[in-house]
């Protein structure tokens, strides 16, 4: 054992914690890839190889603990992931991970815990699902020296999950001097297929504004876990599907859903008189808000349910000061308040486990609602903008 491994809390290579995290990452990422971004796990499709790798490691852990191991991948998926909470797996996880009661699969789809685990631990399994289109748009905008194009694209996708045929034409023609713009939109949206409609109608969730999938006579299913409780309950907004376009499913997950909170925050700060720039510096931050008189903040919005997993995804904030167009004083990692409700430990766990927060004392973790309250309110509205 090395000196490092004798330190409390050190989860080094080969440690039981590390081994458990790799096992869980293999299984969770295998499950996520099975189902695509949404929709139910298709029992007929071949299983992902990561599930087999996870199964092999789980078998070893079971032997060590004297447990009966799953007999195959199907058993792993349907008896373990769907029915056995984490506390009954032979894993060694940090108590702050609050994993005990979590299931990896709920109603046949990867749970929010499963998805957050994959996002937080991508480096454990070389399995990066980042959208190639996001990187492409960023690269082209950078090559053109037009960061605002990237911000406009992101904003459009966040605001409009469905476009009528006429809106699509109007949006494609917005930047006639940039040939790539129309191509980006063609890649971002798809004509709504007939299986996405019922009687020629498409449903849009009133809560998260995303298009919903028809669910075989049971109503409509929203792609957001945040709306899971509303799956069959709320009445969606109905729109004509004829000739209309919808956002590609992977972009709903990567951009539109997280973007809802960024947009809400941006609008709230602008309502208090700030000039708010969204996605400054190609997403170096989500928002920089500046008030006349010089008060300025930089914000990264994080809509995560599990603070232990979120801690791994907090990044170093850019050092923008002095005459920089986006100079800001204080930085904030802002979390929707309902994520912390009834969970006094949320920020304690987040701060304890985030190296980036330790390294940046000028960055504070806070709820979105508190942050808005702390900002000046001039009584006259400012603007939300995509560039300086
Ligand atoms: Zn929804």
């Amino acid at each position: 054992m090395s000196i490092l491994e004798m330190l409390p809390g050190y989860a080094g290579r080969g440690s039981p914690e590390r081994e458990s995290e790799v096992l869980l990452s293999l299984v969770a990422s295998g499950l996520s890839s099975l189902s695509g971004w949404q929709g139910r796990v298709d029992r007929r499709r071949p299983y992902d190889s990561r599930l087999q790798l996870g199964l092999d490691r789980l078998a070893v852990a079971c032997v060590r603990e004297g447990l009966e191991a799953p007999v195959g991948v199907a058993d792993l998926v349907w008896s373990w992931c769907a029915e056995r909470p984490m506390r009954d797996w032979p894993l060694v996880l940090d108590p702050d991970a609050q994993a005990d009661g979590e299931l990896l699969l709920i109603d046949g789809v990867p749970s929010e815990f499963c998805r957050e685990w994959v996002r937080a631990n991508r480096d454990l399994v070389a399995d990066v699902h980042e959208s190639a289109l996001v990187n492409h748009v960023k690269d082209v905008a950078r090559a053109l020296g037009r960061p605002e194009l990237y911000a406009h694209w992101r904003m459009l996708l966040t605001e409009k999950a469905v476009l009528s045929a006429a809106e699509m034409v109007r949006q494609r023609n917005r930047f006639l001097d940039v040939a790539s713009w129309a191509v980006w939109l063609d890649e971002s949206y798809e004509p709504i297929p007939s299986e996405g409609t019922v009687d020629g109608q498409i449903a849009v969730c009133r809560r998260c504004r995303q298009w919903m999938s028809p669910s075989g006579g049971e109503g409509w299913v929203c792609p957001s876990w945040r709306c899971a409780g509303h799956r069959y309950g709320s009445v969606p907004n109905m729109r004509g599907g004829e000739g209309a376009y919808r956002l590609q499913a992977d972009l709903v997950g990567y951009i539109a859903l997280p973007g809802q909170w960024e947009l809400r925050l941006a609008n709230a700060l602008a309502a208090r008189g700030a000039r708010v720039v969204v996605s400054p510096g190609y997403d170096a931050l989500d928002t920089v808000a500046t008030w006349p008189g010089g008060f300025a903040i930089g914000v990264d919005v994080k809509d995560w349910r599990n603070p232990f997993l979120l801690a791994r995804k907090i990044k170093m904030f850019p050092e923008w000061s002095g005459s920089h167009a986006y100079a800001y004083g204080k930085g904030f990692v802002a979390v929707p308040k309902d994520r912390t409700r009834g969970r006094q430990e949320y920020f304690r766990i987040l701060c304890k486990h985030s190296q980036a927060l330790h390294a940046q004392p000028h960055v504070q973790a806070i709820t979105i609602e508190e942050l808005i309250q702390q900002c000046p309110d001039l009584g006259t509205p400012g603007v939300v903008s995509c560039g300086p």
Side-chain angles (χ1 to χ4, degrees), residues 33-367:
S33 72
L34 268 185
S35 61
W37 198 76
Q38 56 179 8
R40 287 163 188 273
V41 174
D42 185 343
R43 291 172 188 245
R44 289 163 307 184
R45 280 167 65 188
Y47 289 110
D48 187 279
S49 62
R50 282 163 295 187
L51 286 172
Q52 185 62 52
L53 293 171
L55 175 66
D56 295 343
R57 284 171 183 250
L58 181 56
V60 172
C62 283
V63 168
R64 204 172 47 219
E65 301 281 322
L67 294 172
E68 207 172 310
V71 294
V73 172
D75 195 28
L76 168 64
V77 172
W78 299 109
S79 304
W80 282 66
C81 300
E83 289 176 5
R84 196 178 288 228
M86 284 291 115
R87 74 169 74 83
D88 295 336
W89 290 54
L91 299 177
V92 182
L93 299 174
D94 191 310
D96 283 349
Q98 301 180 316
D100 279 3
E102 299 286 357
L103 288 169
L104 292 180
L105 208 58
I106 297 175
D107 291 341
V109 294
S111 65
E112 206 169 25
F113 175 78
C114 178
R115 290 170 195 274
E116 288 190 350
W117 186 277
V118 175
R119 285 170 65 200
N121 293 289
R122 278 207 179 114
D123 54 328
L124 288 184
V125 182
D127 147 47
V128 180
H129 286 295
E130 288 298 353
S131 165
L133 181 60
V134 175
N135 291 330
H136 171 76
V137 173
K138 231 180 244 189
D139 288 346
V140 174
R142 201 173 264 137
L144 293 171
R146 306 262 311 257
E148 81 282 5
L149 288 173
Y150 173 73
H152 277 296
W153 175 72
R154 225 172 171 284
M155 176 101 109
L156 172 63
L157 270 48
T158 302
E159 286 185 319
K160 309 246 182 206
V162 177
L163 294 174
S164 69
E167 281 174 308
M168 183 62 162
V169 172
R170 201 166 54 243
Q171 291 294 345
R172 284 178 95 256
N173 290 334
R174 251 173 87 192
F175 297 97
L176 291 170
D177 60 326
V178 183
S180 302
W181 173 265
V183 180
W184 296 344
L185 295 205
D186 293 342
E187 296 283 318
S188 308
Y189 292 88
E190 62 181 3
I192 294 172
S194 58
E195 63 267 23
T197 66
V198 170
D199 298 331
Q201 297 273 298
I202 179 174
V204 176
C205 177
R206 284 176 198 270
R207 210 156 166 260
C208 68
R209 305 198 287 183
Q210 303 310 306
W211 52 265
M212 301 168 84
S213 312
S215 177
E218 291 179 84
W220 300 84
V221 181
C222 171
S224 170
W225 273 99
R226 304 284 263 139
C227 304
H230 300 244
R231 275 189 175 196
Y232 306 115
S234 73
V235 182
N237 277 322
M238 303 304 294
R239 292 184 53 156
E242 178 78 37
Y245 294 80
R246 70 179 184 189
L247 194 56
Q248 297 278 3
D250 61 330
L251 296 173
V252 171
Y254 286 127
I255 293 187
L257 283 174
Q260 299 303 311
W261 291 101
E262 297 160 26
L263 196 60
R264 227 174 280 182
L265 173 68
N267 287 332
L269 297 179
R272 295 172 86 95
R275 175 178 176 79
V276 183
V277 179
V278 292
S279 309
Y282 306 98
D283 285 339
L285 285 174
D286 288 330
T287 291
V288 168
T290 311
W291 278 260
F295 182 79
I297 58 172
V299 192
D300 215 3
V301 176
K302 294 289 188 192
D303 180 28
W304 283 60
R305 177 164 159 267
N306 188 309
F308 179 78
L309 297 177
L310 169 57
R312 302 173 176 206
K313 298 302 285 183
I314 294 180
K315 59 189 177 191
M316 296 299 287
F317 276 45
E319 289 176 23
W320 293 337
S321 55
S323 60
H324 193 284
Y326 303 132
Y328 64 93
K330 200 154 164 68
F332 294 93
V333 171
V335 179
K337 189 176 177 184
D338 66 335
R339 292 297 199 182
T340 67
R341 194 168 289 142
R343 308 180 71 191
Q344 280 93 17
E345 299 283 83
Y346 193 100
F347 286 117
R348 182 194 66 75
I349 292 172
L350 180 62
C351 295
K352 177 178 166 193
H353 293 278
S354 166
Q355 289 177 0
L357 285 176
H358 283 290
Q360 305 177 97
H362 65 292
V363 176
Q364 183 192 345
I366 192 172
T367 66

